[in-house]
Amino acid sequence: MLRIRGGRVYDPANGINGEVRDICIGEDGCITATLPSEAPVLDVQGCVVFPGGVDVHTHIGGAALNFARGMIPEQHRRAVPIYRTAQRRAGLAGTTPTTFATGYVYAGMGWTTANEAAVPILSARHTHEELADTPILDKTACVLMANNEILLDLLEQGEDERAQQVLAWYLSAAKAYGVKAVNPGGVAGWKWGKDCKGLHEPVPGYRQVTPARIVAALARFCDQLQLPHPLHLHCNNLGAPGNVHTTLETMRVLDGYRVHFAHLQYHAYGGDDWTTMSSAAAQIAEYFNTHPGFTADAGAVLFGTTVTVTADGPWQHLLYQLTGRKWGNLDVENETGCGVVPYTYREKSIPNAVQWAVGLELLLLINDPWRIALTTDHPNGAAFWRYPEIIHLLMNADYRKEQWLKLPEKARARLVLPELTREYTLYEIAIITAAGPARMLGLPHKGHLGPGADADIVIYNHSDAIEQMFAHPRYVLKKGVLVVDDGELRASPEGRQYAVAPPYDPAIVDYLRPLFQQYYTISFENYPVAAEHVPHLEIVEPVTGPAAATTTGSGR
Amino acid sequence: MSVSSSSADLPATASARPAPEAPPSATGPAPDADSPRLILTLQQTPTVPLEAEVITPDRLAGLDPAGIAALPVFHGKRRCRLDDFFRIDLSGEPHRLSRGGLQVEVHGDLSRVKWLGRGMSQGRLLIYGPVGMHLGAYMSGGRIEVFGRAGDWAGAEMTGGLIHIHGDAGGQLGAAYRGSNTGMRGGTILVDGAAGMEIGMRMHRGTIVVRGPVRDFAGLQMTGGTIILLGGAELRTGAWMVRGTIIALTPLQLLPTFGYSCLYRPTFISLYARFLHPFGITLPNGPRDGFYHRWLGDKAVPGKGEILIWEPQPG
């Protein structure tokens, strides 16, 4: 039991905007309406109280991220070491923090829930083992489906009903929370050394299946299965100049479905090539604003050195050719692909300057903060612990101007950022960091401070030094337990793993088993992750009622 | 050609050899005669490597003897004090241990002492005896002299300053650490003895001069800078080089991916000759000193680096 007294509370899901009020935490680690007056008190007068942050799109565990960790010793050497104490294990922060460090660093910044956004089904067991070793955070994971050969074969044959059954079985087998699509069809084409650029051109190796067909089918399956989180989509043509047309066409194809567009920044470029690349954030935002079924996360970029990790194999090969640096190509034997390329975003580079601006432009131009979440597509755009820098850029237009004035003049002419004067309020920051992403994920007990919610609370010392304020919370509580006190880790409780278990026809197992024996190198029995292998597993029920209305749309 | 010093070359002989005066550009102002000196003498040879990155003029300047004695060193995984291993003698007045003028001398068999002079930016570090790995790694200025041999990775990823090793050096001289894009970006490394594998690996600027023979992969993947080999090299010199210059005064066995350009006398050689003259190094550059064969490569990359091989004047 704990009463948090006297803080200014920002709880957008309950419409509370900076009111001074008490927050009561019950014995069960959930927020309650009242507490007996003798309950212990944490006095936070003058502080700002937020719901714990929720990251809707990040890469914090699994085979690909681990491969990236192994590939960048030169970045680890510069990383901040975390030394062992009674409360914590040793680790490294930096661009790809180690498992335990990931939990500590996220919590140290006030984030308490994260969605690992790209898990190949074959690597699900590995991913769950890493996530189990990522303390404090509650986690969800999305499995990669858009280049799965068994699914694509079924779509080719027009067997959509069976494809949906297979998808439901996959979700249960991987103990996953949602469906991720990465460069639909393009990664399947990558296995032939190709890619899918056009949304309506057949995927290499298929006659009927096109990227448009794949995304529409997957979005429909997610809606029909009433998954709490809609299709989590990484569109085709990521990172390419002029890809705005592909993105808009994808949005048109998906009109009427619930869809989450991941790292939208990477999909909002105009121009024809690298020399003419420009911002198309305005076009994307205009379309997006009028389609309330869509949500997105920013995937913002900050200047500096990082490592890019994505299932988008063909794109990563191109990036490798552009940089001439290291390249890891993996998972092509898997139900997906993957590339790892270390990368440095440079202020002086025009394409990088455009990328930096587009992330901010989308956050500023999309007028409903409930539908755009703050992310950097960690570690692709920047490491997640740099979120406070983005918050600073969003909340202070003068500071933002100072920064864009540093960009090359040629780049500035291709942006809309100089025209934008919007400044985020604390209320809106609470939406894009916590309330919004929790709603996008369909986690009703996250991202707010109403009775029944998990007592994941972050308390900041109010300050005009915005970056400092958000980087160093005064207190962080997870499920009612004080985990961070003035920068010191006090406790490191294990987090929960949320998954869905949509119903499927048991006969689908008999369909999959022979395919497995024919094509896979592991036995069918070893493929699913058993529930007892996932510590603190919690099954989330399907959303009921008209799904689109309950999980998206502004306000309550 | 000088014979490499061995571990037998300890202070008595080494200090008898006058340290050559470097040109001002390479060293900055030399300390005046009565500038303060700090002498560290290794009392016992460590059983496992001792990591002593605190031994730099930057870190030691301004400290009193008690502060110096308490500096941390790592013996294996154990954190120890500097005076657990070293006797500390100060000459001159401690309060004059100011930045810039400090000269640190280290004596003893330091072959298991690593990271001496790591990241130093000023002052002098004189080492009398063999020294372990990572000497002067990441250094940006000042001057290190070793009267003995040095281990691998000396001057790795350095950006400025001068390292003069009077004995043999190990491998990976001025190299990039594993995974890094770029090795040394500036400064000078001089080796009077031989050197090991992968010297100047991924170097981008700066100069490495080795009097004795070097082993395989000299200048591996270099993207700039100059390597001068007075005593020849083993295999695959300049493999994957993109830019930069390797000058050899003896015939080399080149990779087939280097193409022949011409026989000429590059004018810039005389600049290097003048720069290296104070160190007792002579580069043939006069009108009767012969010519250089120029080879271009590594075309497997493809790169535009050059290897210059001296052809003495006949007769």
Side-chain angles (χ1 to χ4, degrees):
Chain A
M1 281 194 302
L2 184 68
R3 181 189 299 275
I4 297 174
R5 176 180 287 164
R8 270 202 293 136
V9 177
Y10 291 87
D11 180 11
N14 296 306
I16 297 166
N17 183 3
E19 286 169 36
V20 175
R21 56 161 68 198
D22 293 359
I23 301 283
C24 300
I25 303 171
E27 291 289 0
D28 57 352
C30 291
I31 291 172
T32 123
T34 53
L35 273 184
S37 56
E38 71 272 15
V41 169
L42 181 68
D43 192 358
V44 296
Q45 280 188 51
C47 291
V48 172
V49 181
F50 267 43
V54 178
D55 199 330
V56 72
H57 185 104
T58 181
H59 303 281
I60 53 171
L65 188 85
N66 221 23
F67 193 89
R69 287 182 181 127
M71 242 176 82
I72 51 166
E74 75 280 12
Q75 294 188 33
H76 299 317
R77 279 196 288 276
R78 290 194 291 269
V80 177
I82 291 173
Y83 296 106
R84 199 178 100 173
T85 66
Q87 282 80 29
R88 64 180 192 215
R89 303 248 202 146
L92 272 181
T95 38
T96 51
T98 49
T99 47
F100 283 90
T102 301
Y104 306 148
V105 177
Y106 256 121
M109 194 176 67
W111 259 248
T112 49
T113 307
N115 178 33
E116 161 56 54
V119 182
I121 307 170
L122 264 173
S123 307
R125 191 184 311 272
H126 174 164
T127 309
H128 283 302
E129 281 174 1
E130 277 199 34
L131 293 180
D133 275 349
T134 306
I136 308 174
L137 292 178
D138 289 334
K139 282 123 337 199
T140 57
C142 293
V143 279
L144 294 153
M145 295 282 192
N147 297 284
N148 183 307
E149 285 202 22
I150 292 177
L151 274 179
L152 295 195
D153 287 351
L154 286 169
L155 294 181
E156 174 86 358
Q157 294 149 17
E159 296 198 52
D160 286 29
E161 175 53 32
R162 183 175 272 169
Q164 184 179 323
Q165 297 291 334
V166 170
L167 180 135
W169 183 83
Y170 276 147
L171 282 171
S172 298
K175 300 292 171 283
Y177 186 77
V179 176
K180 173 77 179 291
V182 170
N183 188 356
V187 183
W190 175 235
K191 296 172 193 198
W192 306 78
K194 295 175 182 151
D195 195 359
C196 278
K197 298 286 182 200
L199 214 57
H200 299 289
E201 287 162 29
V203 174
Y206 294 90
R207 294 218 175 98
Q208 311 295 328
V209 177
T210 60
R213 166 105 168 89
I214 300 171
V215 289
L218 291 177
R220 194 173 71 245
F221 299 161
C222 290
D223 280 358
Q224 284 175 354
L225 292 169
Q226 298 179 325
L227 299 182
H229 186 50
L231 174 65
H232 197 107
L233 176 60
H234 157 145
C235 298
N236 300 70
N237 267 341
L238 172 138
N243 63 11
V244 57
H245 305 296
T246 312
T247 312
L248 288 174
E249 182 57 22
T250 309
M251 288 181 171
R252 277 181 218 117
V253 167
L254 293 172
D255 200 0
Y257 296 113
R258 296 182 303 150
V259 180
H260 180 83
F261 289 89
H263 39 71
L264 200 50
Q265 177 274 127
Y266 286 106
H267 303 278
Y269 307 141
D272 301 314
D273 54 32
W274 297 111
T275 53
T276 56
M277 179 170 161
S278 62
S279 162
Q283 282 165 271
I284 294 283
E286 191 188 345
Y287 191 91
F288 188 90
N289 279 337
T290 53
H291 289 75
F294 295 159
T295 59
D297 62 84
V301 155
L302 291 170
F303 297 116
T305 295
T306 186
V307 56
T308 62
V309 186
T310 168
D312 199 338
W315 164 255
Q316 291 296 77
H317 181 243
L318 180 73
L319 193 64
Y320 155 66
Q321 288 175 319
L322 287 173
T323 59
R325 282 167 77 167
K326 287 178 272 195
W327 171 47
N329 181 46
L330 55 156
D331 283 355
V332 277
E333 78 294 353
N334 209 320
E335 298 106 336
T336 173
C338 180
V340 181
V341 179
Y343 192 78
T344 304
Y345 294 97
R346 293 174 212 278
E347 222 164 37
K348 281 186 284 183
S349 144
I350 292 174
N352 291 164
V354 169
Q355 292 183 304
W356 175 85
V358 168
L360 299 172
E361 287 167 359
L362 287 170
L363 281 158
L364 295 163
L365 285 168
I366 291 175
N367 47 30
D368 180 3
W370 286 96
R371 294 203 286 127
I372 177 105
L374 173 63
T375 67
T376 56
D377 188 15
H378 164 80
N380 289 295
F384 63 79
W385 42 263
R386 295 183 69 187
Y387 288 170
E389 294 174 44
I390 301 174
I391 296 175
H392 190 190
L393 287 163
L394 293 176
M395 290 186 70
N396 188 333
D398 293 335
Y399 173 69
R400 201 160 63 221
K401 183 174 180 185
E402 248 173 62
Q403 299 307 307
W404 63 250
L405 278 173
K406 293 181 191 165
L407 302 181
E409 218 167 303
K410 247 184 172 172
R412 273 186 261 157
R414 304 179 189 184
L415 310 175
V416 279
L417 192 65
E419 297 155 30
L420 304 178
T421 53
R422 179 178 169 194
E423 289 184 341
Y424 268 69
T425 60
L426 281 175
Y427 186 71
E428 286 171 324
I429 294 294
I431 298 174
I432 62 165
T433 59
R439 189 172 286 180
M440 291 171 198
L441 283 171
L443 292 169
H445 49 293
K446 294 290 180 193
H448 72 104
L449 301 173
D454 284 347
D456 298 351
I457 303 170
V458 50
I459 298 161
Y460 300 103
N461 281 319
H462 190 248
S463 159
D464 289 333
I466 298 165
E467 204 177 309
Q468 177 76 9
M469 165 177 163
F470 281 96
H472 303 284
R474 179 68 185 83
Y475 300 104
V476 179
L477 290 96
K478 170 72 205 315
K479 196 84 173 134
V481 176
L482 181 67
V483 288
V484 175
D485 178 359
D486 208 10
E488 284 298 314
L489 194 76
R490 291 279 178 243
S492 171
E494 289 182 8
R496 280 165 295 172
Q497 179 71 41
Y498 298 113
V500 291
Y504 56 85
D505 176 3
I508 203 67
V509 177
D510 299 326
Y511 171 77
L512 281 170
R513 191 188 306 272
L515 283 176
F516 244 81
Q517 280 158 355
Q518 196 174 347
Y519 295 120
Y520 276 67
T521 51
I522 63 169
S523 75
F524 188 56
E525 283 66 28
N526 290 335
Y527 190 53
V529 183
E532 55 270 26
H533 267 119
V534 184
H536 310 286
L537 180 69
E538 206 165 285
I539 301 295
V540 175
E541 295 305 315
V543 287
T544 47
T550 54
T551 53
T552 55
S554 57
R556 293 194 71 207
Chain B
M1 188 162 301
S2 80
V3 178
S4 60
S5 323
S6 67
S7 56
D9 274 338
L10 282 176
T13 50
S15 55
R17 188 183 326 186
E21 275 310 310
S25 60
T27 59
D32 52 293
D34 63 349
S35 81
R37 290 163 69 209
L38 171 64
I39 300 166
L40 303 172
T41 310
L42 189 68
Q43 295 298 87
Q44 49 158 316
T45 306
T47 47
V48 296
L50 181 73
E51 302 202 347
E53 62 193 70
V54 293
I55 303 183
T56 65
D58 301 66
R59 191 75 191 272
L60 297 162
L63 292 180
D64 58 12
I68 293 171
L71 285 172
V73 290
F74 282 86
H75 187 221
K77 66 174 186 178
R78 291 195 177 78
R79 186 188 166 109
C80 304
R81 287 162 54 95
L82 191 63
D83 64 353
D84 290 341
F85 289 91
F86 289 93
R87 193 182 75 226
I88 298 159
D89 299 298
L90 273 173
S91 80
E93 293 165 47
H95 69 268
R96 289 197 56 214
L97 285 183
S98 56
R99 284 171 166 264
L102 183 59
Q103 175 167 313
V104 180
E105 293 175 20
V106 194
H107 295 263
D109 178 359
L110 302 153
S111 50
R112 282 204 182 126
V113 183
K114 295 182 180 178
W115 296 108
L116 289 182
R118 176 187 169 138
M120 69 184 266
S121 67
Q122 58 203 325
R124 274 175 180 242
L125 182 58
L126 302 177
I127 296 164
Y128 298 92
V131 65
M133 295 205 286
H134 310 293
L135 171 78
Y138 304 112
M139 78 184 274
S140 60
R143 177 167 173 161
I144 298 178
E145 273 198 71
V146 184
F147 300 96
R149 61 184 152 79
D152 295 343
W153 301 102
E157 299 193 13
M158 71 189 282
T159 57
L162 178 114
I163 300 178
H164 193 164
I165 299 163
H166 291 277
D168 290 343
Q172 290 84 20
L173 204 60
Y177 279 118
R178 299 297 181 208
S180 288
N181 263 1
T182 311
M184 71 187 282
R185 292 163 191 265
T188 306
I189 302 178
L190 306 172
V191 181
D192 290 347
M197 304 259 267
E198 295 181 353
I199 68 162
M201 184 245 290
R202 293 188 166 197
M203 75 185 284
H204 188 62
R205 289 278 187 277
T207 307
I208 297 178
V209 185
V210 186
R211 284 179 188 259
V214 304
R215 297 194 56 205
D216 297 354
F217 288 113
L220 176 65
Q221 231 174 348
M222 67 193 282
T223 56
T226 306
I227 299 178
I228 301 175
L229 304 172
L230 282 75
E234 290 182 22
L235 296 176
R236 301 185 185 91
T237 307
W240 285 351
M241 74 189 286
V242 177
R243 277 184 50 206
T245 304
I246 298 176
I247 302 169
L249 298 194
T250 62
L252 291 184
Q253 187 183 339
L254 287 184
L255 284 168
T257 45
F258 279 82
Y260 187 69
S261 329
C262 61
L263 182 70
Y264 76 141
R265 185 180 289 136
T267 42
F268 73 84
I269 294 270
S270 58
L271 292 174
Y272 277 95
R274 204 187 313 164
F275 171 64
L276 294 172
H277 180 70
F279 300 102
I281 294 163
T282 313
L283 271 188
N285 70 315
R288 277 182 295 281
D289 284 346
F291 292 84
Y292 289 83
H293 293 282
R294 183 176 190 272
W295 294 79
L296 188 73
D298 182 344
K299 292 183 176 176
V301 178
K304 294 188 287 183
E306 57 180 7
I307 298 184
L308 303 174
I309 300 176
W310 184 48
E311 174 77 39
Q313 188 87 347

